[in-house]
């Protein structure tokens, strides 16, 4: 078997990130789907209902999650509430795309 490509989705339903190598932990591919978008009631926002979510590129930078979308001039920089590497983080934002 040969692996031709390896991808991680930092944001569930978001744009994938190509990897040249990866590490795994007890949850699977480290950093894969570590973040998700929820609405004001705490319900998960799906890519099926909101296809624009698939165009969001998320990247963890220290204790922030940077999210980019073609319709935004600059990245949203969301501070993560105490999440350590490998943990699920939490941030809040009121931006609309």
């Amino acid at each position: 078997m040969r692996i031709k490509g390896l991808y991680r989705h930092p944001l569930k339903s978001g744009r994938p990130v190509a990897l040249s190598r990866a590490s795994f932990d007890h949850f699977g591919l480290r950093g894969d789907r570590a973040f998700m978008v929820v609405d004001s009631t705490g319900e998960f926002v799906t890519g099926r209902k909101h296809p624009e979510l698939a165009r969001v590129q998320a990247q963890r930078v220290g204790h922030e999650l940077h999210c980019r979308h073609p319709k935004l001039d600059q990245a949203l920089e969301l501070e993560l509430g105490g999440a350590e590497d490998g943990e699920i983080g939490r941030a809040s934002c009121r931006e609309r795309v």
Side-chain angles (χ1 to χ4, degrees):
M1 178 187 308
R2 183 172 179 197
I3 297 174
K4 291 186 177 187
L6 186 59
Y7 298 88
R8 171 175 50 208
H9 293 79
L11 180 67
K12 187 164 175 61
S13 295
R15 188 171 162 192
V17 176
L19 304 173
S20 58
R21 58 185 161 153
S23 59
F24 295 83
D25 58 23
H26 59 281
F27 294 113
L29 181 61
R30 190 176 192 103
D32 189 51
R33 293 168 179 85
F35 302 95
M36 68 178 165
V37 176
V38 296
D39 65 17
S40 61
T41 67
E43 292 292 315
F44 167 54
V45 176
T46 68
R48 278 188 213 126
K49 287 187 177 180
H50 301 278
E52 283 294 309
L53 193 54
R55 298 178 70 195
V56 175
Q57 181 179 355
Q59 178 183 11
R60 185 172 180 158
V61 179
H63 290 287
E64 293 182 337
L65 182 66
H66 293 191
C67 297
R68 298 184 188 284
H69 187 279
K71 291 183 180 179
L72 296 176
D73 292 333
Q74 65 185 68
L76 297 176
E77 297 177 355
L78 308 173
E79 186 176 334
L80 300 175
E84 296 300 323
D85 198 25
E87 292 182 355
I88 294 176
R90 172 176 227 147
S92 64
C93 177
R94 298 203 185 280
E95 288 288 331
R96 296 183 73 106
V97 176

